[in-house]
Amino acid sequence: MISVDNFLIPIQQRFQNEYNLDKVLKKLNNIEKNIPVINVVGTNGKGSTSFFLSNGLKTKYKKVGLFISPAFLYHNERIQINNEPISDDDLKKYVLKAEKFIKECKLTFFETWTLIAIMYFNDNKVDIAVIEAGIGGLKDSTNLFSNQLLTLLTSVSYDHTEILGETIEEIIYQKINIAKPRTTLIVSEDNYKYKKIIESKLNKDITVLYSNKLEEETIIYQKANKGLAKKALEFLGINNFNCLDLKPMIGRFTQVNYHNRKIIIDGAHNLDGINSLISSIENKNEWTVLYGSIEGKEHKKILDSLDANFKSVNITNFDFHKSWEIDDIDHINKIKDWKQFIEESENNLLICGSLYFIPQVYDYLTSK
């Protein structure tokens, strides 16, 4: 497996004024049309929902593709068939295939990964694929998957507002209109409060269904994700729900026993995600919080919410080019060395924040 620390894709640009993956797909005779897909959009819960759903689909389909982001520990995680990550050799082979298009058409980082997934799924003739959006939906490169069976909308809140818009109406519009005409959109129960907005912003000729939370789930914020996956499986005529008993993906309420202490690590990184995480923690007085973020998040609101629920909330920076600078943050408890903090802390730890920070913590804990 190829660590995310290794430079793999020969382009790091995330955004640009014009996106060109559609031009590449035309050169390839639009092979994306060969791949029946379920698109998964939303703000929080996309990865978990995609994980549970892809496992459930294996009870009906022989080959199930899965495209998720970001990668947690290994680049290979982004592209899977039957929940097995693409091999190192295949990944390197498809990166080489993509390189000429990167140069010719000036693809972005995420467009390149989408292209690799399309080529890999097409060559392996997957029966169906679960496709998690990167950011948004309508403007996301995953919108180019045209053979759409279904769209799922996970919990929606404010995130990436510089791209998706400053209002919840704008954000919802961008996400739900990845749904193609004459298809079905299934909406998480978390979004029932936005029912009028969803149905007013959705393009015509889309059927909208709403899922219910899976109440027997013990992790509170996974109730809606699992309920959404279950509704999608039922829609496809699948009544085997054993996939919902699986542990979530790493970095989603992952519990680690470390030196006789409990540590929970979770990639909650926006206000809605943080509040959902808080609701899932029992006996809050027993936990010390360590939070690491990237630039441009709702820092004050997030920290206010954490401070209101836990006695000790600490912030830290980490090794990533977009990591925030904690010296610029108005908060009293600042940790310069998070590894030392973990070693010296005597309390149970809730470590949360950026999905670029949480993998570093998990790797450190497991390697120790």
Side-chain angles (χ1 to χ4, degrees):
M1 300 277 275
I2 304 173
S3 170
V4 293
D5 295 331
N6 293 338
F7 182 80
L8 182 66
I9 301 293
I11 179 70
Q12 294 300 308
Q13 185 173 350
R14 259 57 175 185
F15 307 108
Q16 57 191 26
N17 292 329
E18 182 180 354
Y19 296 98
N20 299 310
L21 180 56
D22 58 334
K23 298 171 185 174
V24 177
L25 294 176
K26 286 179 182 177
K27 292 174 183 284
L28 296 174
N29 297 316
N30 290 108
I31 57 173
E32 79 283 356
K33 293 181 179 180
N34 299 329
I35 307 166
V37 302
I38 298 173
N39 288 99
V40 181
V41 296
T43 306
N44 295 306
K46 296 192 300 292
S48 294
T49 301
S50 298
F51 170 74
F52 294 124
L53 178 59
S54 62
N55 274 280
L57 291 173
K58 290 187 294 186
T59 64
K60 179 176 180 178
Y61 300 94
K62 185 177 180 181
K63 285 188 177 182
V64 179
L66 175 64
F67 179 51
I68 54 176
S69 64
F72 194 76
L73 295 175
Y74 304 102
H75 288 296
N76 316 58
E77 299 165 18
R78 291 175 178 266
I79 300 170
Q80 305 178 28
I81 293 179
N82 290 343
N83 301 106
E84 288 292 328
I86 185 173
S87 70
D88 290 357
D89 288 343
D90 277 342
L91 183 50
K92 291 173 183 176
K93 179 178 75 174
Y94 282 95
V95 168
L96 286 175
K97 285 185 176 183
E99 278 190 1
K100 69 173 184 176
F101 298 115
I102 295 172
K103 295 173 182 176
E104 287 177 10
C105 298
K106 298 179 180 178
L107 299 182
T108 62
F109 181 83
F110 193 69
E111 282 182 300
T112 302
W113 275 109
T114 307
L115 173 61
I116 293 171
I118 288 170
M119 292 191 294
Y120 182 64
F121 291 157
N122 180 66
D123 289 348
N124 283 275
K125 295 180 172 57
V126 298
D127 300 303
I128 192 171
V130 179
I131 307 296
E132 178 189 353
I135 294 176
L138 195 57
K139 295 180 180 178
D140 196 80
S141 62
T142 60
N143 190 28
L144 294 172
F145 284 93
S146 56
N147 187 0
Q148 185 186 77
L149 302 179
L150 195 58
T151 301
L152 306 188
L153 178 67
T154 68
S155 174
V156 175
S157 62
Y158 294 93
D159 203 6
H160 302 294
T161 53
E162 71 282 4
I163 299 166
L164 303 179
E166 298 289 337
T167 67
I168 202 70
E169 288 84 0
E170 290 174 301
I171 293 169
I172 287 174
Y173 177 85
Q174 286 295 326
K175 292 180 183 295
I176 62 177
N177 282 303
I178 197 173
K180 306 295 187 288
R182 296 176 297 283
T183 62
T184 298
L185 168 70
I186 303 181
V187 178
S188 163
E189 185 178 316
D190 284 337
N191 297 317
Y192 194 79
K193 58 190 173 185
Y194 300 131
K195 185 174 186 290
K196 289 184 178 178
I197 298 174
I198 290 169
E199 294 178 5
S200 67
K201 295 293 182 182
L202 190 62
N203 289 333
K204 295 180 179 179
D205 209 13
I206 303 292
T207 301
V208 183
L209 303 176
Y210 292 87
S211 61
N212 297 316
K213 292 181 178 179
L214 194 72
E215 291 301 337
E216 57 266 36
E217 169 57 34
T218 56
I219 301 174
I220 291 174
Y221 76 76
Q222 290 288 9
K223 290 177 182 285
N225 298 331
K226 289 190 175 183
L228 182 57
K230 182 181 180 183
K231 185 74 171 181
L233 292 172
E234 289 174 336
F235 180 86
L236 295 168
I238 298 172
N239 294 306
N240 182 334
F241 306 122
N242 290 337
C243 61
L244 303 179
D245 296 327
L246 295 172
K247 288 184 178 181
M249 298 167 67
I250 297 173
R252 280 76 170 179
F253 212 83
T254 300
Q255 302 183 52
V256 179
N257 290 320
Y258 188 76
H259 294 177
N260 298 317
R261 287 173 290 138
K262 295 178 182 178
I263 297 179
I264 292 176
I265 61 172
D266 192 283
H269 57 275
N270 52 47
L271 183 59
D272 186 60
I274 288 292
N275 287 335
S276 295
L277 174 61
I278 290 170
S279 69
S280 297
I281 300 293
E282 298 179 353
N283 304 317
K284 294 179 178 58
N285 289 338
E286 299 178 2
W287 297 87
T288 292
V289 176
L290 180 64
Y291 177 74
S293 181
I294 61 172
E295 303 166 346
K297 295 293 178 182
E298 303 168 294
H299 298 141
K300 187 179 186 310
K301 292 180 181 179
I302 288 171
L303 293 173
D304 285 348
S305 188
L306 289 169
D307 285 331
N309 286 277
F310 299 95
K311 289 183 178 179
S312 177
V313 176
N314 307 269
I315 64 174
T316 190
N317 44 22
F318 54 99
D319 184 19
F320 182 64
H321 67 281
K322 288 188 176 180
S323 172
W324 63 353
E325 179 45 66
I326 59 174
D327 288 338
D328 298 333
I329 305 299
D330 182 18
H331 197 268
I332 191 168
N333 300 324
K334 299 180 180 181
I335 305 300
K336 294 292 186 181
D337 187 337
W338 58 265
K339 295 178 183 178
Q340 181 180 350
F341 178 81
I342 289 174
E343 295 301 331
E344 295 179 353
S345 177
E346 297 179 355
N347 299 327
N348 295 331
L349 295 176
L350 172 61
I351 305 177
C352 54
S354 169
L355 283 170
Y356 296 101
F357 170 51
I358 296 305
Q360 295 182 28
V361 176
Y362 180 82
D363 192 41
Y364 175 76
L365 293 174
T366 54
S367 66
K368 294 283 284 186

